Amino acid sequence: MVNVKWNKEKFSFNVPLETRLADFRQIVAEETHLDAFKLIYKGAIMKDDKAPLSAYHLKQSSSITLLPHHDTLPTSSSIQNTEQTSLSNIQQELASIRQGLIPSLDLFLDALPQKQPSMSALEKEHARLGELLLQSLLRLDAISTDGEWEDARRERKAAVKEVQALLDRLDDAWSAR
């Protein structure tokens, strides 16, 4: 079973890990009704359609992130993307980072020793925090900011800078250890 996360939705696919990526993409496309999207596993974009899923080191119950291309999102006359909606989405993403991730990041950085022989738990936490920050950047990138929406574009740019600064802080502290 391979799980695919798309925003708040989660899809589970019972496919063998020998399935080629191209065939898996087709299965995902049929379920999500998307024509073009990226599949991301552990921060890396899955690109080689000829490779089996196992080539990406997936295991049963692995979770893959789906990132649709902006122009392929399903549209409906009842759903209108407005500048206010985009601003709200940006603010929600930042609030989530500020409330949920920054305290964990601060605890990790405070606990990061200069040198320690056993680093496996710290390595896992570093990877987890880095992955969460990268996913946040991807979500911010997926928020539509029409060319005429100056406020939304400015807010998204500021949000990306804030999240990127957190990622830089994490990586700089990790490198300095």
Side-chain angles (χ1 to χ4, degrees), residues 1-6 9-21 23-34 37 39 46 53 58-66:
M1 174 127 12
V2 177
N3 300 309
V4 174
K5 294 181 182 177
W6 174 24
E9 293 190 54
K10 183 177 176 183
F11 301 91
S12 295
F13 300 96
N14 194 9
V15 295
L17 296 177
E18 294 77 33
T19 304
R20 289 181 334 129
L21 180 59
D23 297 331
F24 184 66
R25 280 183 188 280
Q26 182 63 36
I27 293 167
V28 172
E30 289 171 7
E31 183 70 24
T32 61
H33 306 290
L34 293 173
F37 51 86
L39 294 174
M46 301 169 72
L53 296 177
L58 270 83
K59 299 177 181 143
Q60 289 298 331
S61 300
S62 291
S63 290
I64 299 171
T65 301
L66 182 145

Coordinates of all heavy atoms in Angstrom, one line a residue, residues 1-6 9-21 23-34 37 39 46 53 58-66:
M1 N 0.9 -1.2 0.0 CA 0.0 0.0 0.0 C 0.9 1.2 0.0 O 1.8 1.3 0.8 CB -0.9 0.0 1.2 CG -1.7 1.3 1.3 SD -3.5 1.2 1.5 CE -3.9 -0.5 1.9
V2 N 0.6 2.2 -0.9 CA 1.3 3.4 -1.0 C 0.3 4.5 -0.8 O -0.7 4.5 -1.4 CB 2.0 3.6 -2.4 CG1 2.7 4.9 -2.5 CG2 3.0 2.4 -2.6
N3 N 0.7 5.5 0.1 CA -0.2 6.6 0.4 C 0.2 7.8 -0.4 O 1.4 8.1 -0.5 CB -0.2 6.9 1.9 CG -0.7 5.7 2.7 OD1 -1.8 5.1 2.4 ND2 0.1 5.3 3.7
V4 N -0.7 8.6 -0.9 CA -0.5 9.8 -1.5 C -1.2 10.9 -0.8 O -2.4 10.8 -0.6 CB -0.9 9.8 -3.0 CG1 -0.7 11.1 -3.7 CG2 -0.1 8.7 -3.8
K5 N -0.5 11.9 -0.4 CA -1.1 13.1 0.3 C -1.2 14.3 -0.6 O -0.2 14.6 -1.3 CB -0.3 13.5 1.6 CG -0.2 12.4 2.6 CD 0.6 12.9 3.8 CE 0.6 11.8 4.9 NZ 1.5 12.2 6.0
W6 N -2.4 14.8 -0.6 CA -2.6 16.0 -1.5 C -3.4 17.0 -0.6 O -4.6 16.8 -0.3 CB -3.4 15.7 -2.7 CG -3.8 16.8 -3.6 CD1 -3.2 18.0 -3.7 CD2 -4.9 16.8 -4.5 NE1 -3.9 18.8 -4.6 CE2 -4.9 18.1 -5.1 CE3 -5.8 15.9 -4.9 CZ2 -5.8 18.5 -6.1 CZ3 -6.7 16.3 -5.9 CH2 -6.7 17.5 -6.4
E9 N -6.2 15.8 1.8 CA -6.7 14.5 1.4 C -5.6 13.5 1.4 O -4.4 13.8 1.2 CB -7.3 14.6 0.0 CG -8.5 15.5 -0.1 CD -9.2 15.4 -1.4 OE1 -9.5 14.3 -1.8 OE2 -9.4 16.4 -2.0
K10 N -6.0 12.2 1.6 CA -5.0 11.1 1.6 C -5.6 10.0 0.8 O -6.7 9.6 1.0 CB -4.7 10.7 3.0 CG -3.7 9.6 3.1 CD -3.4 9.3 4.5 CE -2.4 8.1 4.7 NZ -2.2 7.8 6.1
F11 N -4.9 9.5 -0.2 CA -5.3 8.4 -1.0 C -4.4 7.2 -0.7 O -3.2 7.4 -0.6 CB -5.2 8.8 -2.5 CG -6.0 10.0 -2.9 CD1 -5.5 11.3 -2.9 CD2 -7.3 9.8 -3.3 CE1 -6.2 12.4 -3.3 CE2 -8.1 10.9 -3.7 CZ -7.5 12.2 -3.6
S12 N -5.0 6.0 -0.7 CA -4.2 4.8 -0.5 C -4.3 4.0 -1.8 O -5.4 3.8 -2.2 CB -4.6 4.1 0.7 OG -4.4 4.8 1.9
F13 N -3.2 3.5 -2.3 CA -3.2 2.7 -3.5 C -2.5 1.3 -3.1 O -1.4 1.3 -2.6 CB -2.4 3.4 -4.6 CG -3.0 4.7 -5.0 CD1 -2.5 5.9 -4.4 CD2 -4.1 4.7 -5.9 CE1 -3.1 7.1 -4.8 CE2 -4.6 6.0 -6.2 CZ -4.1 7.1 -5.7
N14 N -3.2 0.3 -3.4 CA -2.6 -1.1 -3.2 C -1.9 -1.5 -4.5 O -2.5 -2.2 -5.3 CB -3.8 -2.0 -2.8 CG -3.2 -3.3 -2.2 OD1 -2.0 -3.4 -2.0 ND2 -4.1 -4.3 -2.0
V15 N -0.7 -1.1 -4.6 CA 0.1 -1.4 -5.8 C 1.4 -2.1 -5.4 O 2.0 -1.7 -4.3 CB 0.4 -0.2 -6.7 CG1 -0.8 0.4 -7.2 CG2 1.2 0.9 -5.9
P16 N 1.9 -3.0 -6.2 CA 3.2 -3.6 -5.8 C 4.3 -2.5 -6.0 O 4.2 -1.7 -6.9 CB 3.4 -4.8 -6.8 CG 2.3 -4.6 -7.8 CD 1.3 -3.6 -7.3
L17 N 5.4 -2.6 -5.3 CA 6.5 -1.7 -5.4 C 7.3 -1.9 -6.7 O 8.1 -1.0 -7.0 CB 7.4 -1.8 -4.2 CG 6.7 -1.4 -2.8 CD1 7.7 -1.6 -1.7 CD2 6.2 0.0 -2.9
E18 N 7.0 -2.9 -7.4 CA 7.6 -3.1 -8.7 C 6.9 -2.3 -9.8 O 7.3 -2.3 -11.0 CB 7.6 -4.6 -9.1 CG 8.5 -5.4 -8.2 CD 7.8 -5.7 -6.8 OE1 6.6 -5.9 -6.8 OE2 8.6 -5.8 -5.8
T19 N 5.8 -1.7 -9.5 CA 5.0 -0.9 -10.5 C 5.9 0.3 -10.9 O 6.5 1.0 -10.2 CB 3.7 -0.3 -9.8 OG1 3.0 -1.4 -9.3 CG2 2.9 0.5 -10.8
R20 N 5.9 0.5 -12.3 CA 6.6 1.6 -12.8 C 6.0 2.9 -12.4 O 4.8 3.0 -12.3 CB 6.7 1.5 -14.4 CG 7.5 0.4 -14.9 CD 7.5 0.4 -16.5 NE 6.3 0.9 -17.1 CZ 6.4 1.9 -18.0 NH1 7.5 2.3 -18.5 NH2 5.2 2.3 -18.5
L21 N 6.8 3.9 -12.3 CA 6.3 5.2 -11.9 C 5.3 5.7 -12.9 O 4.2 6.3 -12.5 CB 7.5 6.2 -11.7 CG 7.0 7.7 -11.3 CD1 6.3 7.6 -10.0 CD2 8.3 8.6 -11.3
D23 N 3.1 4.1 -14.6 CA 1.9 3.4 -14.4 C 1.2 3.9 -13.1 O 0.0 4.0 -13.0 CB 2.1 1.9 -14.3 CG 2.6 1.3 -15.6 OD1 2.3 1.9 -16.7 OD2 3.3 0.3 -15.6
F24 N 2.0 4.1 -12.1 CA 1.5 4.7 -10.8 C 0.9 6.1 -11.0 O -0.1 6.4 -10.5 CB 2.6 4.7 -9.8 CG 2.1 5.1 -8.4 CD1 1.2 4.4 -7.7 CD2 2.5 6.3 -7.9 CE1 0.7 4.8 -6.5 CE2 2.1 6.7 -6.6 CZ 1.2 5.9 -5.9
R25 N 1.6 6.9 -11.8 CA 1.1 8.2 -12.1 C -0.3 8.1 -12.8 O -1.2 8.9 -12.5 CB 2.0 8.9 -13.1 CG 3.2 9.6 -12.5 CD 4.0 10.3 -13.7 NE 5.2 10.8 -13.2 CZ 5.4 11.9 -12.5 NH1 4.4 12.6 -12.2 NH2 6.6 12.2 -12.1
Q26 N -0.5 7.2 -13.7 CA -1.8 7.0 -14.3 C -2.9 6.7 -13.3 O -4.0 7.2 -13.4 CB -1.7 5.9 -15.4 CG -2.9 5.7 -16.2 CD -3.4 6.9 -17.0 OE1 -2.5 7.7 -17.5 NE2 -4.7 7.2 -17.0
I27 N -2.5 5.8 -12.4 CA -3.5 5.4 -11.4 C -3.9 6.6 -10.5 O -5.0 6.8 -10.2 CB -2.9 4.3 -10.5 CG1 -2.7 3.0 -11.3 CG2 -3.8 4.0 -9.3 CD1 -1.9 1.9 -10.7
V28 N -2.8 7.4 -10.1 CA -3.1 8.6 -9.3 C -3.9 9.6 -10.1 O -4.8 10.2 -9.5 CB -1.7 9.2 -8.8 CG1 -2.0 10.5 -8.1 CG2 -1.0 8.2 -7.9
A29 N -3.6 9.8 -11.4 CA -4.3 10.7 -12.2 C -5.8 10.4 -12.3 O -6.7 11.2 -12.2 CB -3.7 10.8 -13.6
E30 N -6.1 9.1 -12.4 CA -7.5 8.6 -12.5 C -8.2 8.9 -11.2 O -9.4 9.3 -11.2 CB -7.5 7.1 -12.9 CG -7.1 6.9 -14.3 CD -7.0 5.4 -14.6 OE1 -7.3 4.5 -13.7 OE2 -6.5 5.0 -15.7
E31 N -7.6 8.7 -10.1 CA -8.2 8.9 -8.8 C -8.4 10.4 -8.5 O -9.4 10.8 -7.9 CB -7.4 8.3 -7.7 CG -8.0 8.3 -6.3 CD -9.3 7.5 -6.2 OE1 -9.4 6.5 -6.9 OE2 -10.1 7.8 -5.3
T32 N -7.4 11.2 -8.8 CA -7.5 12.7 -8.5 C -8.0 13.6 -9.5 O -8.3 14.7 -9.3 CB -6.0 13.2 -8.1 OG1 -5.2 13.0 -9.3 CG2 -5.4 12.4 -7.0
H33 N -8.2 13.1 -10.8 CA -8.6 13.8 -11.9 C -7.7 15.0 -12.3 O -8.1 16.0 -12.8 CB -10.1 14.3 -11.7 CG -11.0 13.3 -11.3 ND1 -11.5 12.3 -12.2 CD2 -11.6 13.0 -10.1 CE1 -12.3 11.5 -11.6 NE2 -12.4 11.9 -10.3
L34 N -6.4 14.8 -12.0 CA -5.4 15.7 -12.4 C -4.6 15.2 -13.6 O -4.3 14.0 -13.7 CB -4.4 16.0 -11.2 CG -5.0 16.7 -10.0 CD1 -4.0 16.7 -8.9 CD2 -5.4 18.1 -10.3
F37 N 1.1 16.7 -12.5 CA 1.4 16.9 -11.1 C 2.8 16.3 -10.8 O 3.3 15.5 -11.7 CB 0.4 16.2 -10.2 CG 0.2 14.8 -10.5 CD1 1.0 13.7 -10.0 CD2 -0.9 14.4 -11.3 CE1 0.7 12.4 -10.4 CE2 -1.2 13.1 -11.7 CZ -0.3 12.1 -11.2
L39 N 5.2 14.2 -8.0 CA 5.2 13.3 -6.9 C 6.5 13.5 -6.1 O 7.5 13.4 -6.8 CB 4.9 11.8 -7.3 CG 3.6 11.5 -7.9 CD1 3.6 10.1 -8.5 CD2 2.5 11.8 -7.0
M46 N 10.0 12.7 -7.8 CA 10.1 11.4 -8.5 C 10.0 11.7 -10.0 O 8.9 12.0 -10.5 CB 9.0 10.4 -8.0 CG 9.1 10.2 -6.5 SD 7.7 9.4 -5.7 CE 7.9 7.7 -6.4
L53 N 8.7 1.8 -8.5 CA 8.5 2.6 -7.2 C 9.6 2.2 -6.2 O 10.1 3.1 -5.5 CB 7.1 2.4 -6.6 CG 5.9 2.9 -7.4 CD1 4.7 2.5 -6.7 CD2 6.0 4.4 -7.6
L58 N 10.8 3.4 -1.6 CA 9.5 3.3 -1.0 C 9.4 2.0 -0.3 O 9.9 1.0 -0.7 CB 8.4 3.5 -2.0 CG 8.0 4.9 -2.2 CD1 8.9 5.6 -3.3 CD2 6.6 5.0 -2.7
K59 N 8.6 2.0 0.8 CA 8.3 0.8 1.5 C 6.8 0.7 1.5 O 6.1 1.7 1.3 CB 8.9 0.8 2.9 CG 10.4 0.8 2.9 CD 10.9 0.9 4.2 CE 12.4 1.0 4.1 NZ 13.1 1.8 5.1
Q60 N 6.2 -0.4 1.9 CA 4.8 -0.5 2.1 C 4.4 0.6 3.1 O 5.1 0.8 4.1 CB 4.3 -1.9 2.5 CG 4.4 -2.9 1.5 CD 3.6 -2.6 0.3 OE1 2.5 -2.0 0.4 NE2 4.0 -3.0 -0.9
S61 N 3.3 1.3 2.9 CA 2.7 2.3 3.7 C 3.5 3.6 3.7 O 3.4 4.5 4.5 CB 2.6 1.9 5.2 OG 1.7 0.8 5.3
S62 N 4.4 3.8 2.7 CA 5.1 5.0 2.5 C 4.1 6.1 2.1 O 3.1 5.8 1.5 CB 6.2 4.9 1.4 OG 7.3 4.1 1.9
S63 N 4.5 7.4 2.4 CA 3.6 8.5 2.0 C 4.3 9.4 1.0 O 5.4 9.8 1.3 CB 3.2 9.3 3.2 OG 2.3 8.6 4.0
I64 N 3.7 9.6 -0.1 CA 4.2 10.5 -1.2 C 3.3 11.7 -1.2 O 2.1 11.7 -1.0 CB 4.1 9.8 -2.5 CG1 4.9 8.5 -2.5 CG2 4.5 10.7 -3.7 CD1 4.7 7.6 -3.8
T65 N 4.0 12.9 -1.4 CA 3.3 14.2 -1.5 C 3.0 14.4 -3.0 O 3.9 14.3 -3.8 CB 4.1 15.3 -0.9 OG1 4.4 15.0 0.5 CG2 3.4 16.6 -1.0
L66 N 1.7 14.8 -3.2 CA 1.3 15.2 -4.6 C 1.3 16.7 -4.7 O 0.6 17.4 -3.8 CB 0.0 14.6 -4.9 CG -0.6 14.9 -6.3 CD1 -1.3 13.6 -6.8 CD2 -1.5 16.1 -6.3

